[in-house]
Amino acid sequence: GKVNAGWELAGGAKEIVGISAHTLAVNVVCFTQDGTALVTGSVDCNIVVWDLAKQTARRTIQGHGAPITVLKFTPDGKTLISGCMEGLIALWDITTGRQIMKFTEHQDRICSVACNLSASRMISTSDDHSVK
């Protein structure tokens, strides 16, 4: 689906950019810490990292077998955390798109994730009624 990548709020609402690469609806979105890129997660099970200045996809990250439900960066902005409908949580190197680690402890949709400032601890919630 097309991503209308946000609105410039200073001086009135103005669309920043309209971009598309996903084959199905986009579920979740977040900016990189430096604001130069946008990350989208979709029902098509893919994550796309967008270069906002060039209005192009930097890379597509594949590794989930179900729709993406959560995207969040670690506090240092170097690692992307993703979660999906099947309960998988994955950590990705945002520069390379390489998977660093994955967690399969949940049995249902990932609802939220959070980590501490040093990114040494992570917590997640799921529709399986657990917090891990």
Side-chain angles (χ1 to χ4, degrees), residues 10-28:
K14 178 182 131 190
E15 185 178 356
I16 296 172
V17 63
I19 49 183
S20 103
H22 290 287
T23 58
L24 297 171
V26 172
N27 288 350
V28 62

Side-chain angles (χ1 to χ4, degrees), residues 23-126:
T23 58
L24 297 171
V26 172
N27 288 350
V28 62
V29 61
C30 67
F31 282 103
T32 55
Q33 268 190 325
D34 63 9
T36 63
L38 180 75
V39 183
T40 55
S42 172
V43 175
D44 66 12
C45 309
N46 294 320
I47 298 166
V48 178
V49 182
W50 303 94
D51 185 310
L52 291 176
K54 295 179 182 176
Q55 299 185 19
T56 58
R58 287 183 183 170
R59 75 186 43 80
T60 297
I61 299 172
Q62 298 175 320
H64 285 281
I68 309 301
T69 58
V70 172
L71 292 173
K72 181 160 184 95
F73 279 97
T74 55
D76 65 9
K78 296 178 181 178
T79 304
L80 177 69
I81 305 168
S82 63
C84 71
M85 290 293 289
E86 66 186 2
L88 173 72
I89 297 171
L91 278 61
W92 308 93
D93 179 314
I94 193 61
T95 304
T96 65
R98 183 181 62 85
Q99 188 179 82
I100 299 167
M101 191 177 296
K102 69 179 179 179
F103 302 90
T104 58
E105 284 74 18
H106 287 294
Q107 304 303 311
D108 204 342
R109 177 179 75 98
I110 302 301
C111 300
S112 66
V113 295
C115 62
N116 64 352
L117 282 176
S118 65
S120 62
R121 292 186 177 183
M122 181 178 69
I123 191 163
S124 56
T125 64
S126 170

